[in-house]
Amino acid sequence: MKIKMLMAAGALMTMSYSVSSMAESNSPEYVSDWWHQSVNVVGSYHTRFGPQLNNNTYLEYEAFAHKDWFDFYGYLDVPKFFGGNSNQTGIWDKGSPLFMEIEPRFSIDKLTNTDLSFGPFKEWYFANNYIYDMGRNSDNRQNTWYMGLGTDIETGTKLALSANIYAKYQWENYGAANEDSWDGYRFKIKYFLPITQLWGGNLSYVSFTNFDFGSELRDKAGASRSNDSIASSHILSLGYDHWHYSVVARYFHNGGQWEDGTELNFGNGPFEVKSTGWGYYLVAGYNF
């Protein structure tokens, strides 16, 4: 099968962080000195957010910032902009025209002018993770808000580490049985480690993992769905002043809360759910 390109919710965040934080000494110019943004061509092979394997190539706008009490990461994707396989639709074939994920965090320490640090926990945040898929109708739309507490953790090394714990409120979810309810929790851990200079750029290792648990979706919808899932991304990023490139491997366990190995039939014959395993990504982008 021909390999397509993509990038998942959240993988490019720390990659772009590494680009800006290790910029070369010639002080390149950007539109903003605090709102960091890029446009990317991203693509995938065998992503497992649904019950079937998907390949996709699309256009993305990405932004991140850390200023005073405000910490932000987010992206806007135009699904299947450059093509993909037949298991999914996108902007040109009556599928979703837009997929968005944002992760705003608000510093409790700075907003209350209080030092809440203790032990390795440096700063505390009101943390959010909002996901919106603008499907053509409610049965093809996702609208999810995770909200909770976040922190930055001192490691005593070059490793930058942060963690967030959220409760989830689920509005639309592609017609699933857990819509319009509080349904489960997410624990997210992220880390970033600069490695070395390479080919005139900066090579970094970046990772983030989402642990989703405590849902009642399987209880409501049956054995094809799962009450928990994991998505763990592992990224090698090569960053320059304006250009960045990365290779991503992402491990899925019951991706999209679909139970791996069960059998489904959406009208085109039965198939086995393949929601556990590895997906692979390539990314090329321009920072401006």
Side-chain angles (χ1 to χ4, degrees):
M1 180 182 294
K2 181 178 178 181
I3 294 180
K4 298 286 185 181
M5 297 175 170
L6 160 119
M7 191 206 135
L12 278 172
M13 163 200 142
T14 42
M15 180 204 63
S16 291
Y17 171 78
S18 68
V19 173
S20 68
S21 64
M22 295 187 292
E24 296 176 1
S25 59
N26 58 0
S27 299
E29 293 185 0
Y30 303 102
V31 173
S32 171
D33 62 356
W34 71 276
W35 184 260
H36 308 286
Q37 55 192 338
S38 66
V39 60
N40 310 306
V41 176
V42 295
S44 76
Y45 177 67
H46 280 183
T47 55
R48 301 168 189 260
F49 290 106
Q52 296 175 293
L53 300 177
N54 283 314
N55 308 321
N56 189 5
T57 310
Y58 62 84
L59 189 67
E60 177 177 78
Y61 168 79
E62 180 188 27
F64 70 95
H66 188 93
K67 186 177 179 64
D68 298 327
W69 48 266
F70 183 55
D71 183 78
F72 178 85
Y73 169 72
Y75 60 86
L76 299 173
D77 294 337
V78 185
K80 209 176 175 183
F81 188 87
F82 300 107
N85 68 0
S86 60
N87 291 335
Q88 65 182 77
T89 56
I91 186 171
W92 309 121
D93 50 6
K94 299 182 180 180
S96 175
L98 175 71
F99 183 92
M100 176 184 77
E101 181 173 9
I102 59 173
E103 297 181 31
R105 300 197 306 172
F106 307 95
S107 172
I108 300 171
D109 297 52
K110 291 185 173 66
L111 287 172
T112 62
N113 197 27
T114 305
D115 183 3
L116 300 175
S117 63
F118 66 94
F121 303 104
K122 299 188 295 182
E123 190 169 357
W124 294 89
Y125 300 87
F126 172 50
N128 301 269
N129 187 176
Y130 177 71
I131 301 169
Y132 181 70
D133 186 354
M134 187 191 293
R136 301 284 177 167
N137 54 56
S138 60
D139 287 341
N140 293 282
R141 188 172 299 139
Q142 180 186 4
N143 191 353
T144 309
W145 182 20
Y146 297 90
M147 65 199 82
L149 191 65
T151 186
D152 295 332
I153 302 169
E154 178 60 60
T155 66
T157 69
K158 293 182 179 180
L159 179 71
L161 179 65
S162 67
N164 305 300
I165 183 73
Y166 313 97
K168 179 179 72 173
Y169 191 83
Q170 185 67 66
W171 286 286
E172 293 106 329
N173 189 24
Y174 311 111
N178 63 342
E179 292 188 333
D180 298 314
S181 68
W182 291 96
D183 186 56
Y185 307 90
R186 167 171 287 184
F187 177 69
K188 179 191 291 283
I189 188 165
K190 309 182 200 178
Y191 53 89
F192 160 71
L193 180 67
I195 299 174
T196 187
Q197 289 191 334
L198 179 67
W199 300 326
N202 297 290
L203 182 67
S204 305
Y205 172 59
V206 180
S207 179
F208 75 91
T209 301
N210 292 326
F211 300 92
D212 292 315
F213 61 97
S215 170
E216 296 181 353
L217 181 57
R218 182 186 178 94
D219 306 328
K220 295 177 179 179
S224 65
R225 304 308 299 261
S226 171
N227 287 340
D228 57 77
S229 66
I230 297 172
S232 183
S233 297
H234 305 271
I235 307 155
L236 280 178
S237 167
L238 182 63
Y240 298 88
D241 285 341
H242 286 287
W243 293 98
H244 59 256
Y245 312 91
S246 68
V247 178
V248 183
R250 168 173 277 191
Y251 180 74
F252 298 86
H253 174 73
N254 293 338
Q257 290 186 243
W258 292 94
E259 185 70 27
D260 186 64
T262 55
E263 186 176 284
L264 291 175
N265 189 335
F266 290 157
N268 296 318
F271 65 91
E272 181 183 348
V273 174
K274 296 181 178 179
S275 59
T276 294
W278 290 91
Y280 303 95
Y281 309 78
L282 297 174
V283 183
Y286 183 80
N287 308 308
F288 63 95

mmCIF file of all heavy atoms in Angstrom, residues 68-70 105-114 123-124 126:
data_model
loop_
_atom_site.group_PDB
_atom_site.id
_atom_site.type_symbol
_atom_site.label_atom_id
_atom_site.label_comp_id
_atom_site.label_asym_id
_atom_site.label_seq_id
_atom_site.Cartn_x
_atom_site.Cartn_y
_atom_site.Cartn_z
ATOM 1 N N ASP A 68 3.538 35.204 30.269
ATOM 2 C CA ASP A 68 2.989 35.529 31.582
ATOM 3 C C ASP A 68 2.168 34.339 32.112
ATOM 4 O O ASP A 68 2.693 33.266 32.299
ATOM 5 C CB ASP A 68 2.159 36.808 31.508
ATOM 6 C CG ASP A 68 2.986 38.011 31.086
ATOM 7 O OD1 ASP A 68 4.180 38.060 31.439
ATOM 8 O OD2 ASP A 68 2.447 38.894 30.391
ATOM 9 N N TRP A 69 0.848 34.520 32.306
ATOM 10 C CA TRP A 69 -0.010 33.481 32.894
ATOM 11 C C TRP A 69 -0.637 32.571 31.846
ATOM 12 O O TRP A 69 -1.401 31.658 32.172
ATOM 13 C CB TRP A 69 -1.129 34.132 33.714
ATOM 14 C CG TRP A 69 -1.828 35.248 32.998
ATOM 15 C CD1 TRP A 69 -1.536 36.581 33.087
ATOM 16 C CD2 TRP A 69 -2.923 35.125 32.079
ATOM 17 N NE1 TRP A 69 -2.393 37.308 32.273
ATOM 18 C CE2 TRP A 69 -3.247 36.435 31.639
ATOM 19 C CE3 TRP A 69 -3.659 34.063 31.578
ATOM 20 C CZ2 TRP A 69 -4.270 36.689 30.734
ATOM 21 C CZ3 TRP A 69 -4.674 34.300 30.670
ATOM 22 C CH2 TRP A 69 -4.976 35.608 30.265
ATOM 23 N N PHE A 70 -0.323 32.795 30.562
ATOM 24 C CA PHE A 70 -1.006 32.113 29.459
ATOM 25 C C PHE A 70 -0.067 31.143 28.768
ATOM 26 O O PHE A 70 1.011 31.515 28.297
ATOM 27 C CB PHE A 70 -1.518 33.156 28.471
ATOM 28 C CG PHE A 70 -2.307 32.601 27.320
ATOM 29 C CD1 PHE A 70 -3.408 31.790 27.531
ATOM 30 C CD2 PHE A 70 -1.953 32.922 26.014
ATOM 31 C CE1 PHE A 70 -4.142 31.295 26.467
ATOM 32 C CE2 PHE A 70 -2.679 32.438 24.946
ATOM 33 C CZ PHE A 70 -3.785 31.626 25.163
ATOM 34 N N ARG A 105 -3.711 26.644 28.738
ATOM 35 C CA ARG A 105 -3.521 26.474 30.185
ATOM 36 C C ARG A 105 -3.335 27.864 30.794
ATOM 37 O O ARG A 105 -2.679 28.729 30.218
ATOM 38 C CB ARG A 105 -2.308 25.602 30.495
ATOM 39 C CG ARG A 105 -2.376 24.207 29.937
ATOM 40 C CD ARG A 105 -1.366 23.275 30.606
ATOM 41 N NE ARG A 105 0.001 23.778 30.555
ATOM 42 C CZ ARG A 105 1.031 23.224 31.207
ATOM 43 N NH1 ARG A 105 0.849 22.157 31.970
ATOM 44 N NH2 ARG A 105 2.248 23.734 31.101
ATOM 45 N N PHE A 106 -3.890 28.073 32.001
ATOM 46 C CA PHE A 106 -3.847 29.359 32.674
ATOM 47 C C PHE A 106 -3.171 29.170 34.030
ATOM 48 O O PHE A 106 -3.630 28.369 34.847
ATOM 49 C CB PHE A 106 -5.259 29.912 32.841
ATOM 50 C CG PHE A 106 -6.035 29.966 31.558
ATOM 51 C CD1 PHE A 106 -6.890 28.932 31.199
ATOM 52 C CD2 PHE A 106 -5.886 31.033 30.689
ATOM 53 C CE1 PHE A 106 -7.601 28.969 30.011
ATOM 54 C CE2 PHE A 106 -6.586 31.088 29.494
ATOM 55 C CZ PHE A 106 -7.448 30.050 29.150
ATOM 56 N N SER A 107 -2.085 29.891 34.253
ATOM 57 C CA SER A 107 -1.273 29.704 35.449
ATOM 58 C C SER A 107 -2.019 30.147 36.700
ATOM 59 O O SER A 107 -2.347 31.332 36.869
ATOM 60 C CB SER A 107 0.037 30.484 35.325
ATOM 61 O OG SER A 107 0.741 30.459 36.542
ATOM 62 N N ILE A 108 -2.280 29.222 37.597
ATOM 63 C CA ILE A 108 -2.919 29.547 38.870
ATOM 64 C C ILE A 108 -1.960 30.355 39.746
ATOM 65 O O ILE A 108 -2.365 31.306 40.425
ATOM 66 C CB ILE A 108 -3.366 28.266 39.589
ATOM 67 C CG1 ILE A 108 -4.362 27.494 38.719
ATOM 68 C CG2 ILE A 108 -3.985 28.589 40.946
ATOM 69 C CD1 ILE A 108 -4.704 26.113 39.246
ATOM 70 N N ASP A 109 -0.663 30.000 39.707
ATOM 71 C CA ASP A 109 0.345 30.729 40.481
ATOM 72 C C ASP A 109 0.354 32.209 40.127
ATOM 73 O O ASP A 109 0.291 33.078 41.005
ATOM 74 C CB ASP A 109 1.736 30.151 40.231
ATOM 75 C CG ASP A 109 1.881 28.715 40.669
ATOM 76 O OD1 ASP A 109 1.053 27.874 40.271
ATOM 77 O OD2 ASP A 109 2.847 28.414 41.401
ATOM 78 N N LYS A 110 0.413 32.504 38.824
ATOM 79 C CA LYS A 110 0.548 33.898 38.390
ATOM 80 C C LYS A 110 -0.758 34.668 38.532
ATOM 81 O O LYS A 110 -0.760 35.851 38.897
ATOM 82 C CB LYS A 110 1.067 33.944 36.958
ATOM 83 C CG LYS A 110 2.511 33.486 36.814
ATOM 84 C CD LYS A 110 3.004 33.677 35.390
ATOM 85 C CE LYS A 110 4.503 33.384 35.273
ATOM 86 N NZ LYS A 110 4.820 31.965 35.532
ATOM 87 N N LEU A 111 -1.883 34.037 38.260
ATOM 88 C CA LEU A 111 -3.160 34.732 38.365
ATOM 89 C C LEU A 111 -3.519 35.057 39.808
ATOM 90 O O LEU A 111 -4.221 36.030 40.082
ATOM 91 C CB LEU A 111 -4.264 33.890 37.721
ATOM 92 C CG LEU A 111 -4.239 33.819 36.192
ATOM 93 C CD1 LEU A 111 -5.251 32.804 35.688
ATOM 94 C CD2 LEU A 111 -4.504 35.188 35.577
ATOM 95 N N THR A 112 -3.046 34.254 40.742
ATOM 96 C CA THR A 112 -3.331 34.502 42.164
ATOM 97 C C THR A 112 -2.142 35.138 42.888
ATOM 98 O O THR A 112 -2.236 35.408 44.092
ATOM 99 C CB THR A 112 -3.692 33.185 42.874
ATOM 100 O OG1 THR A 112 -2.576 32.281 42.808
ATOM 101 C CG2 THR A 112 -4.921 32.548 42.235
ATOM 102 N N ASN A 113 -1.048 35.376 42.135
ATOM 103 C CA ASN A 113 0.173 35.925 42.724
ATOM 104 C C ASN A 113 0.613 35.116 43.946
ATOM 105 O O ASN A 113 0.976 35.660 44.997
ATOM 106 C CB ASN A 113 -0.041 37.395 43.115
ATOM 107 C CG ASN A 113 1.281 38.121 43.347
ATOM 108 O OD1 ASN A 113 2.315 37.757 42.771
ATOM 109 N ND2 ASN A 113 1.259 39.139 44.195
ATOM 110 N N THR A 114 0.581 33.787 43.777
ATOM 111 C CA THR A 114 0.906 32.863 44.864
ATOM 112 C C THR A 114 1.874 31.804 44.360
ATOM 113 O O THR A 114 1.681 31.254 43.268
ATOM 114 C CB THR A 114 -0.360 32.166 45.388
ATOM 115 O OG1 THR A 114 -1.307 33.152 45.775
ATOM 116 C CG2 THR A 114 -0.034 31.269 46.574
ATOM 117 N N GLU A 123 4.994 24.813 38.791
ATOM 118 C CA GLU A 123 3.901 25.749 38.551
ATOM 119 C C GLU A 123 2.638 24.951 38.264
ATOM 120 O O GLU A 123 2.691 23.849 37.717
ATOM 121 C CB GLU A 123 4.240 26.666 37.364
ATOM 122 C CG GLU A 123 3.303 27.826 37.169
ATOM 123 C CD GLU A 123 3.838 28.848 36.162
ATOM 124 O OE1 GLU A 123 4.971 28.660 35.676
ATOM 125 O OE2 GLU A 123 3.126 29.826 35.885
ATOM 126 N N TRP A 124 1.478 25.540 38.623
ATOM 127 C CA TRP A 124 0.208 24.849 38.465
ATOM 128 C C TRP A 124 -0.714 25.633 37.535
ATOM 129 O O TRP A 124 -0.697 26.873 37.509
ATOM 130 C CB TRP A 124 -0.456 24.636 39.820
ATOM 131 C CG TRP A 124 0.332 23.709 40.687
ATOM 132 C CD1 TRP A 124 1.329 24.036 41.548
ATOM 133 C CD2 TRP A 124 0.212 22.282 40.722
ATOM 134 N NE1 TRP A 124 1.839 22.898 42.144
ATOM 135 C CE2 TRP A 124 1.172 21.805 41.653
ATOM 136 C CE3 TRP A 124 -0.609 21.350 40.082
ATOM 137 C CZ2 TRP A 124 1.321 20.456 41.939
ATOM 138 C CZ3 TRP A 124 -0.467 20.009 40.367
ATOM 139 C CH2 TRP A 124 0.487 19.577 41.289
ATOM 140 N N PHE A 126 -4.758 25.821 35.409
ATOM 141 C CA PHE A 126 -6.067 25.332 35.006
ATOM 142 C C PHE A 126 -5.904 24.900 33.560
ATOM 143 O O PHE A 126 -5.647 25.722 32.673
ATOM 144 C CB PHE A 126 -7.137 26.408 35.146
ATOM 145 C CG PHE A 126 -8.466 26.019 34.561
ATOM 146 C CD1 PHE A 126 -9.066 24.808 34.877
ATOM 147 C CD2 PHE A 126 -9.127 26.866 33.676
ATOM 148 C CE1 PHE A 126 -10.288 24.439 34.328
ATOM 149 C CE2 PHE A 126 -10.349 26.517 33.123
ATOM 150 C CZ PHE A 126 -10.929 25.300 33.452
#
